[in-house]
Amino acid sequence: MRASSATSEGREALADVDVVVIGAGFSGLYMLYELRSRGFSVRVLEAGSDVGGTWYWNRYPGARCDIESLDYSYSFSESLQQEWEWSERYSAQPEIQRYLSHVARRFDLRRDIEFDTRVTAAHFDEGTACWTVHAPGRPPLVSRFCVMATGCLSVPQRPALPGLDEFEGSVYHTGNWPESDVDFSGRGVGVIGTGSSGIQAIPVIAGQAARLTVFQRTPNFSIPAFNGPLDPDVVRAVKANYRQRRRANRASPGGVERSANERNTFDVDARERYREYEGRWSYGGFRLLGAYADILADQRANDEIAEFVRAKIRAVVHDPATAEALLPYGHPLGTKRICVDTDYFETYNQDHVTLVDSRDSPLETVTARGVRAGGVEYDLDSLVLATGFDAMTGALRRIDVRGRAGHELAETWRGGPATYLGLAVAGFPNMFILAGPGSPSVLTNMVTSIEQHVQWTAACVEHLRSGGYRTIEATEQAQRDWVEHLRELAEATLYPKANSWYLGANVPGKERVFMPYVGGLDLYEQTCEAVAADDYRGFDLK
């Protein structure tokens, strides 16, 4: 059935579907489910061969979620969350992929998804008020609304290393790992990068490789996950009260309840502070960041808890020189997404593992047989690039997105991404972005943020239908005000002190703009709801 959209001259233009969704990860799948349940026709276009998005491509050894499984999952279906059984506290990539495949089967979502379909362009037509979406190998798809569910971490950043193309061994990027098993047994392996992907992959690769050489540019803070099988009693207790747990997550700044301490660091004495740090460290994961309210706002408070973490690293790594090289000093704790690891620092106690710190031994070039750094050539059979992503905007800029008068999104964002609520862009009517720049997204439990985005977007589209509206578009003024609000919030924190991918600092030539909303998911959702309740304040509805 073809949806219709009235033109400005009153004629009817036929659309293939009401909504086209680009991407079939967590956000795209739920967007499809939510819109379809409200009676809209939807088509999802997915570049991969299966559902999963980020979790489809990131199959590298050790790939694992850094949010606990019982929270990193959908809450929209009570029966789904009751029936699915997670095996570990922090789920590995294969289990998350199985979960999303189960969701797709459970709700019959695959019939509206086209796989192996990489969108190359999406153009808005002002006469028909429709979007035309282009992908090789299929006719253009016309829809009334376009939803970008392209993901924040979906465009791997391949480093411009001299000689990389000359390397005669195997090269892998953690963000685009082969589907087939990669066996490093008996091989000399080099890993470039010690961000989250590298920190997860390095211990697993070390368990296979004959020799492992890690090339580190920037040491990172990492906290043990203390992962393991889920206790059945814990699972039963959570499932008996899942709705309350989900409500608490949704009402928290980070989208996951972490028993945040509302006091400031120096409101209590040193003995009590260190008891608090130890208790949260022993729990594992992100809970440490909730130790005191001012950790991400007060440099002195941050310095103390950062030194606490450094002391933990020194206690684990046997060789003092290696331990010192692994200590992060260049950024405040938490201003880059903290890594959650299993035996990462312990890996450097193994005789066949070598750390090459670029501060002492800069990486000079890749050769045919390995990597030369600090004047020393390291012979390698395989090279793993754990060099991260063109985060938050990379996937959107890769698509030729054009709004009113043919204005290009990439050009509009040349000075940095500008959105209203992280959901819409002035000059691009009837286009919504899920977990985009200007929203809390990557500073939160992504699934919780995604559910809020999807529900708000679906309710908005339904409002447009019931009110007989043809288009919705963010106003320039509302967008300017939101961008300024984002800047003011970020500057009141320590976040801008880090050269992180939150600012695009990992991509050469990318403008430095702090992209996420730091006010917290709870306050963000209140703002979104107030906007909708006030006749979609800041939007122009026609």
Side-chain angles (χ1 to χ4, degrees), residues 52-55 57-58 66 72 150-157 175-176 196-197 337 388-395 435 442 446 501-502 506:
T54 294
W55 294 107
W57 299 105
N58 283 262
D66 57 10
Y72 195 81
T150 48
C152 296
L153 301 174
S154 51
V155 175
Q157 175 64 19
N176 190 14
S196 181
S197 300
R337 189 173 176 102
F389 302 87
D390 184 355
M392 301 198 74
T393 59
V442 294
M446 283 293 293
W501 56 258
Y502 296 151
N506 64 316

Side-chain angles (χ1 to χ4, degrees), residues 83-351:
E83 73 193 19
W84 183 263
E85 296 291 338
W86 295 103
S87 66
E88 294 181 281
R89 184 181 175 196
Y90 292 93
S91 295
Q93 180 271 339
E95 189 166 17
I96 297 173
Q97 180 69 26
R98 287 195 298 273
Y99 170 73
L100 291 172
S101 294
H102 171 76
V103 171
R105 288 192 304 272
R106 175 79 160 69
F107 299 103
D108 190 25
L109 301 180
R110 291 180 188 275
R111 63 181 166 91
D112 289 318
I113 304 174
E114 293 182 30
F115 296 106
D116 300 306
T117 305
R118 183 174 290 281
V119 171
T120 56
H123 297 166
F124 181 73
D125 184 282
E126 295 185 60
T128 63
C130 283
W131 284 90
T132 301
V133 179
H134 301 267
R138 73 164 332 278
L141 181 63
V142 179
S143 65
R144 289 210 51 214
F145 300 94
C146 183
V147 176
M148 299 295 186
T150 48
C152 296
L153 301 174
S154 51
V155 175
Q157 175 64 19
R158 186 177 173 91
L161 296 174
L164 183 57
D165 293 337
E166 308 303 318
F167 182 61
E168 295 176 354
S170 304
V171 179
Y172 307 95
H173 194 291
T174 52
N176 190 14
W177 202 262
E179 287 192 66
S180 57
D181 289 338
V182 177
D183 186 4
F184 293 118
S185 298
R187 302 179 70 80
V189 181
V191 176
I192 297 177
T194 53
S196 181
S197 300
I199 282 174
Q200 289 186 335
I202 284 164
V204 180
I205 294 174
Q208 298 177 357
R211 292 174 289 106
L212 174 62
T213 307
V214 177
F215 299 91
Q216 172 187 263
R217 184 183 68 174
T218 306
N220 269 303
F221 290 102
S222 190
I223 299 172
F226 299 117
N227 190 37
L230 274 169
D231 184 337
D233 291 336
V234 170
V235 174
R236 277 193 293 272
V238 168
K239 289 190 174 185
N241 208 10
Y242 229 146
R243 288 180 181 174
Q244 183 174 335
R245 184 183 179 105
R246 300 293 197 179
R247 282 195 298 268
N249 286 349
R250 189 76 166 251
S252 69
V256 60
E257 206 285 315
R258 60 187 183 204
S259 302
N261 191 339
E262 295 182 359
R263 292 180 297 178
N264 288 330
T265 301
F266 300 107
D267 290 346
V268 300
D269 63 28
R271 181 176 297 179
E272 183 172 344
R273 294 198 301 273
Y274 279 84
R275 275 201 305 268
E276 186 76 14
Y277 301 153
E278 285 287 355
R280 289 173 180 271
W281 177 271
S282 299
Y283 183 86
F286 289 121
R287 186 163 288 200
L288 184 68
L289 282 176
Y292 291 101
D294 58 350
I295 285 172
L296 289 168
D298 183 274
Q299 185 65 60
R300 192 164 70 100
N302 195 283
D303 287 344
E304 180 175 275
I305 196 168
E307 187 54 37
F308 170 83
V309 175
R310 293 187 196 107
K312 292 292 187 183
I313 298 170
R314 292 188 189 98
V316 168
V317 182
H318 298 163
D319 177 60
T322 302
E324 192 62 32
L326 288 166
L327 299 180
Y329 281 103
H331 62 280
L333 174 80
T335 55
K336 294 184 177 183
R337 189 173 176 102
I338 282 184
C339 302
V340 178
D341 74 89
T342 297
D343 296 332
Y344 172 64
F345 293 109
E346 290 85 345
T347 300
Y348 294 98
N349 295 329
Q350 300 178 49
D351 292 339

